[in-house]
Amino acid sequence: MSSVRSLLYVAVWVATHLFLATSSLAQSRPRPEDTEVYTPVPKIVEPGNGCTPPSDAVVLFDGKSLAQWVNAGDSSKPAGWVVQHGLMTVNKKAGDIRTKDRFLDYQLHLEWRVPEHITGKGQSRGNSGVFLAIFPQGGYEVQILDSYNNTTYTNGQAGSVYKQYVPLVNPLRPPGEWQVYDIIWNAPRFTPDGKLQQPATVTVLINGVLVQNAVSLKGTTEYIGTPTYKPHGAAPIQLQAHGDPSEPISFRNIWLRPL
Ligand code: MG
């Protein structure tokens, strides 16, 4: 009887420890759900069709009005560029224009076109530019230029971060066709006493082709001299009315998504 009982004890002990061992093994084995998260849930955004803005975009130019823009030299004045047929065209006499609002980090979409029979060469052919942030001491320009069969310094051709980064490739279409810029901008950050904490970075696609891959800016883009950083916060975006004598360029479909 006692040996039967002993056997029973042993069997129960073995079974119990086997169960505990296998269950603890099962608990320590990684499971797919250990690395799955369900919050936060991304907000639903209705996408555009490539040209029309997504549902959460801030529309800066809808083809009808320059209400979001002012004269860059005197922000109390209207922008003064020509709006016609769903486009806005540079008015060189009016000068640069800038957004009424200020922005920090964003995704920006814009389209531009130079006239089909544009004249001039080098920096004097369809020169404009988008300043991703503009403030009294400077700004950061991604170059707009007719760089289709048009030689210039490569860190000043279309899609360059002006005089800092040459575009990776040149995906421009011929004059008379629309060029599409998609830009992801992360503004620089500064400490309270004005020291650079984090440089600005920019990613640029032209006509869907990557030309700047999250490059870190060396400071403001300068025509003469080396870039440096000066502290600033959220800032307007500026479009350049370049003084060259070539026929003026046009823009359409400008929108951004603050990040
Ligand atoms: Mg320019």
Side-chain angles (χ1 to χ4, degrees), residues 22 30 35-36 40 45 49 61 68 80 85 90 97 116 125 128 172 179 196-197 211 214 221 248 252:
T22 52
T35 47
E36 293 165 3
V45 171
N49 65 9
F61 179 63
Q68 299 299 316
H85 310 305
V90 172
I97 64 171
E116 187 180 351
R125 191 161 107 192
S128 180
L172 256 71
Q179 320 285 346
L196 181 69
Q197 195 170 35
V211 299
T221 52
R252 71 177 184 188

Side-chain angles (χ1 to χ4, degrees), residues 45-246:
V45 171
E46 294 294 331
N49 65 9
C51 296
T52 57
S55 58
D56 63 344
V58 175
V59 176
L60 295 175
F61 179 63
D62 63 359
K64 297 181 197 114
S65 146
L66 286 172
Q68 299 299 316
W69 302 83
V70 291
N71 182 282
D74 179 351
S75 60
S76 69
K77 287 187 183 163
W81 288 12
V82 181
V83 178
Q84 214 173 16
H85 310 305
L87 322 175
M88 65 167 161
T89 301
V90 172
N91 173 359
K92 296 192 186 204
K93 281 188 192 144
D96 299 351
I97 64 171
R98 66 175 57 166
T99 56
K100 278 182 185 166
D101 290 333
R102 295 162 186 267
F103 304 98
L104 203 58
D105 308 327
Y106 55 79
Q107 171 189 351
L108 173 69
H109 176 98
L110 67 82
E111 301 173 27
W112 59 270
R113 183 182 70 178
V114 299
E116 187 180 351
H117 301 295
I118 191 164
T119 56
K121 56 182 185 176
Q123 293 287 310
S124 296
R125 191 161 107 192
N127 197 331
S128 180
V130 52
F131 286 83
L132 302 172
I134 193 89
F135 50 99
Q137 298 90 349
Y140 314 98
E141 181 185 12
V142 170
Q143 179 66 299
I144 293 175
L145 185 75
D146 174 22
S147 292
Y148 188 86
N149 288 335
N150 180 29
T151 303
T152 186
Y153 45 95
T154 58
N155 60 357
Q157 72 180 67
S160 62
V161 176
Y162 188 71
K163 290 195 173 175
Q164 292 190 31
Y165 291 99
V166 177
L168 297 170
V169 291
N170 179 353
L172 256 71
R173 299 181 175 127
E177 294 189 22
W178 286 98
Q179 320 285 346
V180 180
Y181 276 22
D182 287 289
I183 296 174
I184 296 157
W185 170 249
N186 288 292
R189 298 296 199 273
F190 300 89
T191 60
D193 59 342
K195 294 204 174 64
L196 181 69
Q197 195 170 35
Q198 193 181 306
T201 63
V202 71
T203 295
V204 181
L205 291 93
I206 300 181
N207 298 327
V209 179
L210 184 71
V211 299
Q212 300 291 351
N213 186 8
V215 294
S216 287
L217 272 69
K218 297 162 190 166
T220 52
T221 52
E222 301 293 339
Y223 178 45
I224 298 168
T226 50
T228 53
Y229 272 108
K230 293 109 187 169
H232 64 90
I237 295 168
Q238 185 159 308
L239 295 176
Q240 189 181 38
H242 195 271
D244 76 69
S246 71

